Structures are given as C-alpha cells and as structure tokens.
C-alpha cells in the first residue's frame, strides 16, 4: 500500500539546516499494524507528516499504491487516501459525537440521512453505546472521545490509518481498548495502521516495530523483547 524510497527531509531556516530524515526505506502493507518508536526529535512525526501528505520529502519518494505523492494534488491525497487520529482527539467541540463522525461524509456530499446511518454504525463499531450519539465531546471521557475520533477516521473511507500518540492522553484500560480496535481494523478489515508512539503497551499489538534514531529507521527483530520505546 505504501512505500518510502530513500526519503530525506531537511528543515531550513535563516540560521540553520536540520536533516530530520536520512534515507528512509520501508514498506507498509494492508492488514498489518506498524508501531514507530524512538526518542522525541528523532524524526517520527516528520515521517508521519510526509506519509499523511502534509508535505513532500526533500529527497526520495513516498509512494501510495505505486504512485508518488509528489505527482498528486496533496489536498486530494489527504482527503481520499489518508485518515488521521491524534493524541488530542481534535473533535469539534460544538458538534455532537454523531455530527463529528458525519463531518467527513458531509464534505464528500453524502446525503444527510445516509451519513447519519453510517455514523451511528461506525460509533457502534468502535464499541460505544447509542446514548453517546448526541453527546458533545466535553460530556465524554478521554477514551470515549478517542473512539469517536477513530469512528470519524473510518468515515473517511480510506484503508490507510495513521495514529500520532493515540493513547497519550488515556488511562491504561482506555488505551488497551483503543489499540485493540486499531488491531482489529487491520486484521479483520484490511486497514494499514501506522502508529507513532511512546506507549510500550502498544508494541505487543503491533505486527512490526520500527525504531527511529536521528532520522534513520530500523526494524526491530522482536516487539516482545523490547524493554523500552525510547
């Protein structure tokens, strides 16, 4: 589904130049969960932003289904092929849970009745009860908000699901619930799930673990043997 070929990225300012990524080569397939670990500032979020189409690499290529993102309109790529989940949930505070999940469908001009029906089904899919539908984010726990955020990502109708520290603001029980949902989406429905994380609990659910160190990416031999994510 996704391939990075000799990807480099350099941040430049008037005063300095920082090479954030140094020749990244890796592939990501549907039906699998990938965890990307490493210290803060190692390049994890930069790599995720390139995969998400927020920017283009300075060198090399990011290929989605064999096509370079550099040859696409990035707005279309993000809208059609990528769904994001964030640590801070990023739900619209003045919209109910159902309205938040409906939003991506409304942007694609899905009829309101169909969008409501699908939003309700997606909220049920992530294990939330029907009484959540008409609650605002401030009325939900952190774990509930993150599950609504996952449901909203699923409403994008893309099989590439990116998660940036999705359990960072959650307690242990909520974190496990969220990661199980992401794993099931990959293993049962064919999603390619890429998770940037500092949470060691996620590693046991990952099919592959990559470690980012000073802009270089290496694959860990065994997730179970990892003592730490830093």
């Amino acid at each position: 589904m996704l391939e990075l070929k000799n990807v480099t990225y350099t941040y430049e300012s008037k005063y300095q130049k920082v090479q954030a990524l140094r020749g990244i080569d890796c592939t990501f397939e549907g039906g699998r969960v990938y965890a990307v670990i490493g210290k803060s500032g190692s390049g994890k979020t930069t790599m995720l932003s390139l995969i998400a189409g927020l920017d283009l690499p300075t060198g090399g290529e990011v290929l989605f289904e064999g096509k370079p993102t550099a040859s696409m309109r990035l707005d279309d790529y993000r809208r059609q092929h990528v769904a994001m989940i964030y640590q801070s949930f990023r739900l619209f505070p003045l919209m109910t849970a159902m309205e938040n999940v409906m939003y991506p469908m409304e942007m694609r001009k899905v009829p309101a009745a169909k969008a409501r029906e699908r939003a309700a089904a997606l909220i049920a899919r992530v294990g939330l009860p029907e009484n959540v539908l008409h609650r605002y984010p401030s009325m939900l726990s952190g774990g509930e908000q993150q599950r609504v955020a996952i449901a909203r990502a699923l409403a994008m109708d893309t099989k590439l699901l990116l998660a940036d520290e999705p359990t960072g603001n959650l307690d242990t029980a909520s974190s496990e619930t969220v990661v199980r949902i992401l794993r099931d989406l990959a293993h049962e429905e064919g999603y390619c799930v890429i998770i940037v994380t500092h949470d060691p609990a996620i590693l046991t659910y990952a099919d592959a673990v990559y470690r980012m160190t000073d802009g270089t990416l290496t694959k860990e031999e065994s997730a179970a043997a990892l003592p730490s994510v830093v």
Side-chain angles (χ1 to χ4, degrees), residues 7 40 42 50 96 110 131 135 152 156 165 216-217 219:
V7 168
S40 296
S42 61
L50 297 182
T96 64
V110 174
N131 62 13
R135 293 181 182 176
R152 184 175 63 182
M156 298 287 291
E165 299 285 1
T216 64
L217 194 69
K219 187 175 182 180

Side-chain angles (χ1 to χ4, degrees), residues 163-185:
D164 190 1
E165 299 285 1
T167 61
N169 287 334
L170 305 181
D171 59 34
T172 300
S174 296
S175 295
E176 184 172 342
T177 297
V178 164
V179 179
R180 284 181 183 273
I181 290 169
L182 295 176
R183 180 197 61 186
D184 292 346
L185 288 169

Side-chain angles (χ1 to χ4, degrees), residues 21-196:
L21 299 179
R22 304 168 183 268
I24 302 296
D25 288 292
C26 60
T27 58
F28 301 97
E29 302 172 0
R32 292 170 64 82
V33 177
Y34 299 88
V36 181
I37 61 176
K39 294 181 178 179
S40 296
S42 61
K44 305 186 304 298
T45 299
T46 299
M47 186 181 78
L48 200 69
S49 71
L50 297 182
I51 293 172
L54 298 174
D55 203 349
L56 294 173
T58 307
E61 293 182 310
V62 176
L63 302 163
F64 179 80
E65 296 182 341
K67 186 176 181 180
T69 56
S71 69
M72 307 178 192
R73 284 175 52 90
L74 290 184
D75 287 347
D76 292 341
Y77 169 70
R78 290 192 297 269
R79 183 168 55 250
Q80 297 171 8
H81 302 303
V82 182
M84 285 287 301
I85 301 167
Y86 300 94
Q87 177 178 348
S88 57
F89 319 134
R90 295 197 183 181
L91 298 177
F92 299 113
L94 300 182
M95 290 184 180
T96 64
M98 173 176 276
E99 290 167 343
N100 266 279
V101 178
M102 289 174 63
Y103 182 77
M105 293 181 276
E106 291 173 341
M107 294 298 97
R108 299 198 313 274
K109 309 301 183 185
V110 174
K114 184 176 180 180
R116 278 194 297 272
E117 180 180 358
R118 178 157 166 73
L122 289 173
I123 288 172
R125 170 68 184 82
V126 298
L128 291 172
E130 189 174 346
N131 62 13
V132 165
L133 293 175
H134 303 294
R135 293 181 182 176
Y136 293 94
S138 61
M139 302 166 68
L140 304 175
S141 69
E144 289 170 334
Q145 289 187 63
Q146 192 60 292
R147 283 189 270 175
V148 172
I150 293 172
R152 184 175 63 182
L154 299 182
M156 298 287 291
D157 277 334
T158 171
K159 291 295 186 180
L160 177 57
L161 189 55
L162 310 180
D164 190 1
E165 299 285 1
T167 61
N169 287 334
L170 305 181
D171 59 34
T172 300
S174 296
S175 295
E176 184 172 342
T177 297
V178 164
V179 179
R180 284 181 183 273
I181 290 169
L182 295 176
R183 180 197 61 186
D184 292 346
L185 288 169
H187 292 177
E188 297 174 8
E189 301 182 33
Y191 282 80
C192 176
V193 179
I194 303 173
I195 305 173
V196 165

